[in-house]
Amino acid sequence: MSEDVDRLLDLRGGVARVWTRYTDLVVARASGSWLETVDGERYLDYTCGIGVTNTGHAHPRVVAAIAEQAARGIHLQQNIVFHEPGLRLHERLPRHFPNPRDGDAYALFLANSGAEAVEAAVKLAKYATRRPAIVAFRGGFHGRTHAAMALTSSGVKYRGHYEPLPGSVYLAPFPYALRNPTGRSDEAALQFTLDAIDELFATLVYPEDVAAFVVEPILGEGGYVVPPDGFLPALREIADRHGILLAVDEIQTGFARTGRFFATEWTDATPDIVIMAKGIASGLPLSGILAPRALLDRLEPGAHGGTFGGNAVACAAALATLDVIDDEGLVEAARRQGDRLLSGLRSVAADHPSVAEVRGRGLMVALEFTEPETLKPMPERAKALLAAALERRLLLLTCGTYGQVVRIIPPLNTTDDEIDLAIEIIGESLGAD
Ligand SMILES: Cc1ncc(COP(=O)(O)O)c(C=O)c1O
């Protein structure tokens, strides 16, 4: 190894230890589904940088759009001027609003990170309704700023020792059939959630004081839990009854990840606010919210904003990302390759009683490890799978409150051979149980 590489590896000690670290790899370049380290090893990246590089690493069309816009202007500040990629994105992205209502026009507000988009959604809901409270769901993850932390309950490490957090946030159970206390069916899990919301309104907060439900269509950090299809429509109905807004956090589920452009489209529920980030710009920091224009424009000039929101280069990357999703048929690809991955994983996991469930939608796929009888979470099994897969040059991530779930997040244009390789490696890495 050259002295330069040695020196680079030593510099890893300088990075703040607050970053949870899955690997010590130092990457020299990344392309498509693959990472190459400074010492020349190749890894199949089925983390997508936590669900971001849906079009693969460094897609040539995204790279070209970034280079072209960077040469024409990097920071063209939103309060001061308009810029071409921003204007085009404001026209184009609202067309993807899930289950739009006839006669509504939809609009976009852009920020930088997922947490910032969650803040924007909460601020909009409070400002527009003049109501103080938010109802979020147990196991949800919405980010690391103070309001986003207050909505987050996927793990105490995300919010513990940060009290006091913003108040008037109430948590209801997310329908999680495998862990539902009243029975392991979707019906029982949904009923448990709906009863808990009724109880919340009867005991802790009047529904007319609630500004919004904030909910992930599929639980991300909380364990890749796919709720019953009736869940979002049921929330929509409760929201309509009480004048509450429905804000869906599509940060991890959006941009074709689940085999629909947004996962909300697996149901017929129309949200009021769609919160987006991660896959929006194939890796450049960009996020935003979509809402009916009449709702979004309740925020008066200056009531929200930010120096970097809607960065020109990030908007150019987002437009190229949308082109790639359309031209390469990535919505359908996510569905097709998701089926291939799910069925392959189900067959390699069949002989492993500690795999309680192989689940997912599109290319948002996971295995949950539990003791077979008690359903006690087995994070050690998930950790061992990650380590064994890493040795075989496959990168995976965990999630779930106890770290008992392994999530598999391939790029949406991953090939059949790559999927089959990942299934083979996971099969070999499952070990004995
Ligand atoms: C569903 C969801 N919401 C919000 C966030 C926060 O996004 P960011 O890390 O960009 O602030 C994440 C990040 O993992 C997420 O998965």
Side-chain angles (χ1 to χ4, degrees), residues 197-255:
I197 293 172
D198 279 348
E199 192 187 2
L200 190 64
F201 292 161
T203 55
L204 294 177
V205 62
Y206 287 112
E208 56 269 27
D209 286 340
V210 176
F213 288 117
V214 178
V215 63
E216 290 165 87
I218 296 175
L219 220 49
E221 293 293 319
Y224 274 33
V225 180
V226 184
D229 286 342
F231 176 46
L232 290 183
L235 288 186
R236 176 74 272 171
E237 191 276 317
I238 299 168
D240 284 343
R241 215 172 337 131
H242 299 293
I244 298 171
L245 298 173
L246 176 60
V248 288
D249 180 343
E250 290 265 12
I251 287 172
Q252 194 152 167
T253 49
F255 294 87

Side-chain angles (χ1 to χ4, degrees), residues 402-418:
Y402 306 95
Q404 81 280 19
V405 181
V406 170
R407 56 180 150 167
I408 303 149
I409 325 175
L412 309 181
N413 48 11
T414 192
T415 64
D416 290 357
D417 286 350
E418 289 164 353

